[in-house]
Structure formats: structure tokens, C-alpha cells
Amino acid sequence: MIPITTIVTGRTTVSGEIKGRYGIHRPSTFSDYFRPVVFWNITYGCNLRCAHCYISADPDLRSKDLPTEEMLKIARQISELRLPLVIFSGGEPLLRKDFFQIAETIDPPTKLSLSTNGTLITEEVARRLQDLNFSYVGVSLDSVDPSRHDAFRGFRGAFRRAIRGIRNSKEAGLSVGIRTTLTKWNLGEVRDILEFASSNGIKRVSLYLLDSAGRGSQLVDLMPSTEDVRKLVDKLIEEVPNYDLEVLLVRMNFAGIYIADKLARSKEEFLNYLRMIEAQGECGRKSISIYPEGKVKPCQFLVDFDVGDLGEESLREILSPNNRKLKPFLNIDRFLRGPRCSHCPFRRICGGGSRNRALSHSGDFWGDDPLCFFDPGEIADRWGINGAQDIIHS
């Protein structure tokens, strides 16, 4: 996750409220390798049928969801470990009748957040979220055109209900953001989405680059090109200072190195940017995902890769230096073997981008993300960096 607004302007909104102050001279220490942010996918059920859904949510899969008592057991383990943040997701997390029972079982200092399609956030739901001190509500919105959003989300009226959910959340005093999945289909709407968010008092826009997971793996024709992504990042570098909100780039950590190169005025400043970017973490590095049946993933997008099973071991055991399944993600720079990534001096910083896109493109899980759009050798030469060790030990 690349906080492009913070990199370009030094400003934060939601992330500052949750994590505390951080920036180029003060990398975030909010999470750590064995004290990660948890993306908790609490159900396979959903009331929409989104074209890109990485978890392939379907009401028929709800039989896989753990029962309430098992969910409460996991919630208590999260509290015991004092993990920094739980982001409830799904499917649609508000479909679970025991949602609030699970949420209220998690004790401070663990913070709570919600990732939702927004359609089920009534005034009462918003008030209950506020009563439980939810730090943030992220609502999926893929277009400011209602018909286009509804088509992508597979449900007529999804846009209207999402907007109602945003309004109810804001009126309850919750911090609200928009989550947008970027495809060729809506890349041209990014400015409109930022304008919409800004004019409606929305504090954050998270731009997720389409990943090849779940139903998203079938959207090959909608995957942006490397040039599409580069142009988007260039445009955002210019435009984010104009908005009183923060913009995050998700599933494209390599963009952080490109942005650092564009903005830095000295080698020292460039390295400071890199330290800030690395501190954000990525799949298995400062974040994990718990799936509805209790399987633990390096992140919510790595559907087919488990690092543990809460039906067989505790969360404490999974989040341990002794967990061999987790080690490849903690030391991902040692495992990347694509012709670009394996020789890139910045591979530890960005983690090689998306393992799903690498697998889809080359057939190799540890291969190159095809959407990385810059020449790492050129950037390394510009700043006098001879290899990854120059960055790690600088």
C-alpha cells in the first residue's frame, strides 16, 4: 500500500488518525512482521456479484463460514496478541448476524475498520459502528456513474445503496473512504472519483490495481497495461496536492520506487522515501488475512496460499518466527526469481508486486509482476546504488 498523498505532500487523513504521525523522516511503526494488520474475511456470503471478487464470494459458499463460537475464539486471540488493526471484510461482512458480537469481542488497543460494499449500512448500523469506535469505513465504489458501478457489481441499485451507506456513516461521525478497483474500464474516471470524494467530504480514496485472483483472474482483457499504470501514477503525482483527502495505491508497491525517484532531490532523500515505503509492508509482511473457514493467508488476495489454519494451530503459533510457511513472505526478496525482480535492487522494498499477476503471466508464483513499469537499473544508476545491500544497510 503506497500512501501517495503522504509521499507527495506529507499530509494524512485516515491513515494518520489510525497509525499516528508518519512520513519521509518518520516511517510508520504501526505494524510489524509478527504484529501485523489483520484483514479478516469473515464470510463468503455477499449480496452482490462483483466481477472482480478475489474471494469469489457467493451465498452458496456460506456453509464454509466458521460458526459464531469459533469466530469469537479467533477474536479473543487477536485481542490477546494486541494486534494493531482488524479490517473486517468478506464477502460482505455485514451479512453475518453475529457481526457486532464478533467485533465487540475484540478489545483495545486493537483498532477496528470495515471494508464493505456499503449497501447494508443503515442509520442503525452506522450508529453501532460508531458506538464500537470503528476507526474507518471503506466503501467500494468503482464508478461515479450509477449504471456502470451497478454493472460491475452485478446488482441494480448497488450505487444508490452504497451512497446511502456512505451518507449514514458520515452522519454517524465515522471516517469514510472509497475503495476503487482499477481496470481499463474505469481508469479514465479516477479524476471524477477524486472530485466526487472531495466534494462529499470523504477522507480517503484507495485505488486497487486489478489483481488476478478469484473472479478477477477471468478479467484478462480489463487488466491495465504498464503504460496505463505509469500514466496514472504520473497524473496522481501532479493532482493529489489539489485534494483535501488522501489517496492510496494498492497492489502496486513498485509505484512507490518510481514516485521516490521522481520526487527525491538527493540520494539521502531517495533512501528516506524507500524506508517509508518499506515500512508500509505488504502480503505477509506486516499484514495477514484470515479467511472465513479459518485459513490464514499472507494477505486477502493470495487465495491459494496458506500460512496457517486456525482450526489446527493458534494465531500466536502462526505469527511466529518458527512458521516456515510465513518465512518466504518475510524474506520475499530471497525468493523472487523472475528475470527482472531477481536482479532488482529494490525488490525488498516493493516485494515484487503481485504474486497472482506473476503466476498468471509467467506460470511462476515467484516470477515478475508484468505491470511493473520502470527500469530499476536506470534508477539505481541515477542514485549510485549497486545492489539491494546498499539500500538495506544504508
Side-chain angles (χ1 to χ4, degrees), residues 37-48:
V37 169
V38 177
F39 292 82
W40 193 358
N41 298 78
I42 63 173
T43 181
Y44 280 110
C46 193
N47 57 332
L48 305 185

Side-chain angles (χ1 to χ4, degrees), residues 247-316:
V247 180
L248 304 181
L249 305 179
V250 188
R251 307 307 290 152
M252 50 174 133
N253 272 15
F254 46 78
I257 292 113
Y258 178 80
I259 297 167
D261 177 57
K262 297 271 283 189
L263 298 181
R265 293 164 295 183
S266 67
K267 181 176 181 179
E268 180 182 5
E269 189 173 44
F270 179 64
L271 292 173
N272 282 339
Y273 279 124
L274 296 189
R275 294 186 191 102
M276 175 187 169
I277 293 162
E278 184 182 16
Q280 300 301 308
E282 191 49 273
C283 279
R285 303 184 301 157
K286 305 190 179 184
S287 73
I288 60 162
S289 181
I290 301 172
Y291 263 46
E293 71 275 30
K295 298 289 181 66
V296 180
K297 315 283 185 178
C299 69
Q300 69 269 42
F301 299 98
L302 292 184
V303 180
D304 298 319
F305 200 108
D306 299 338
V307 296
D309 185 342
L310 289 167
E312 300 175 358
E313 54 200 322
S314 70
L315 190 55
R316 185 181 298 276

Side-chain angles (χ1 to χ4, degrees), residues 54-90:
Y54 61 82
I55 200 172
S56 299
D58 189 309
D60 292 340
L61 297 176
R62 292 189 71 176
S63 60
K64 293 185 176 183
D65 295 356
L66 289 176
T68 300
E69 188 49 49
E70 291 300 311
M71 300 294 279
L72 298 180
K73 181 179 176 181
I74 294 170
R76 288 190 286 268
Q77 291 184 57
I78 290 170
S79 294
E80 289 167 5
L81 292 174
R82 299 171 68 85
L83 300 183
L85 174 67
V86 173
I87 301 168
F88 289 99
S89 187

